Amino acid sequence: MDTVTEPEPLFDLEPATAAGPDFAELARLPLRELMAPDWADALAGVEAELRSVLSFVAGEEAAGRRVLPPASNVLRAFRQPLNGVRVLIVGQDPYPTPGHAVGLAFSVDAGTRPIPRSLANIYRELESDLGLPPRIHGDLGAWADQGVLLLNRVLSVREGGAGSHRGKGWETITTAAVAAVAGRRTADGKAAPLVAVLWGKDAESVRPLLGSTPVLASAHPSPLSASRGFFGSRPFSRANTLLEQQGADPVDWELPAVPARQLPPRSLG
């Protein structure tokens, strides 16, 4: 049987600080150079909107405003195949602190110290739920590698300006992404195994897109709200139970003590 080789992505996933294409270049590139092929197919219907929001972000950059995460990671959530997604975790927008945002909701660069307080609370609940020790790093890439889609509703932010890129077009893209994840079907026409984990009101806004997908909803892990229903919600063990009930393998939520070496993105050319 002939093997079809997909084109390699333009850049690897890591690290957030490496040089790579800028946002103006991203806005001109074919979708299949920006994300996994099945994601490119799924998001083709909002390609014009994606190019528009990337052009907006390019304008921010051209005006001397620092945008986070860098262009090389802004679409990182779509680099793992859509077909492999088992768990959807929805965040708000990227961390506005330089060096923190890496293109995956709640995750930070492996060298970031201290880790953000929301992520520290996620680790606290992970230990309470599954007995897994917290890590000193905040790299959640190992979850993404297993089909956990860590998707922010808004995929970029101005440095120091939390929420500064809301209402600029990203919501259209991520709405299409959530609908694509929830709309997948197996060969026999059944819904593909999926569990949605919704923390906080922003995440809850996608619930109408999820159809019959099992949903685990609670307060956001932020220090402002974690004590109002996030702690004790046991999302990790409950997600695995729901996956197994759908005939899917559970997620190994234990993160490596030391993240895998991060490789710089390949350059354009």
Side-chain angles (χ1 to χ4, degrees), residues 5-260:
T5 303
E6 296 287 355
E8 291 188 357
L10 186 65
F11 30 68
D12 292 317
L13 304 184
E14 320 286 357
T17 55
D22 61 23
F23 287 102
E25 291 171 298
L26 290 192
R28 297 191 296 267
L29 289 170
L31 288 185
R32 286 190 171 226
E33 291 188 30
L34 300 177
M35 59 189 67
D38 56 355
W39 271 118
D41 293 341
L43 297 181
V46 292
E47 179 176 358
E49 291 85 348
L50 175 59
R51 297 197 184 283
S52 177
V53 70
L54 287 172
S55 295
F56 159 76
V57 178
E60 289 272 272
E61 195 173 60
R65 303 182 183 102
R66 186 173 182 183
V67 174
L68 306 173
S72 57
N73 270 341
V74 73
L75 297 175
R76 180 179 173 184
F78 303 131
R79 304 271 177 74
Q80 299 294 345
L82 167 61
N83 189 51
V85 174
R86 292 185 284 162
V87 176
L88 168 66
I89 297 179
V90 179
Q92 298 178 1
D93 60 345
Y95 298 114
T97 304
H100 284 202
V102 293
L104 300 177
F106 298 105
S107 184
V108 293
D109 184 84
T112 298
R113 302 289 187 279
I115 63 173
R117 290 181 294 171
S118 292
L119 182 53
N121 285 339
I122 291 171
Y123 282 179
R124 175 178 164 183
E125 181 62 21
L126 182 63
E127 182 175 26
S128 175
D129 186 7
L130 296 177
L132 298 177
R135 298 307 188 193
I136 62 169
H137 68 83
D139 182 354
L140 305 181
W143 291 356
D145 291 343
Q146 296 183 72
V148 179
L149 177 59
L150 299 161
L151 183 68
N152 278 319
R153 283 290 276 153
V154 173
L155 300 186
S156 66
V157 69
R158 189 183 302 168
E159 178 185 347
S164 52
H165 286 181
R166 294 189 182 193
K168 305 300 182 183
W170 283 123
E171 293 88 349
T172 299
I173 310 307
T174 55
T175 291
V178 172
V181 171
R184 295 169 304 154
R185 293 292 180 268
T186 60
D188 59 2
K190 296 181 179 178
L194 178 68
V195 177
V197 179
L198 307 181
W199 292 329
K201 291 182 179 179
D202 275 16
E204 283 265 14
S205 69
V206 309
R207 189 190 281 264
L209 305 171
L210 294 169
S212 61
T213 299
V215 172
L216 301 176
S218 74
H220 193 276
S222 162
L224 300 175
S225 58
S227 61
R228 298 199 295 268
F230 175 74
F231 291 136
S233 62
R234 301 176 52 244
F236 308 102
S237 63
R238 292 168 66 201
N240 278 351
T241 296
L242 288 167
L243 285 172
E244 290 173 324
Q245 288 174 356
Q246 297 173 71
D249 292 332
V251 173
D252 179 0
W253 294 103
E254 184 170 11
L255 294 164
V258 178

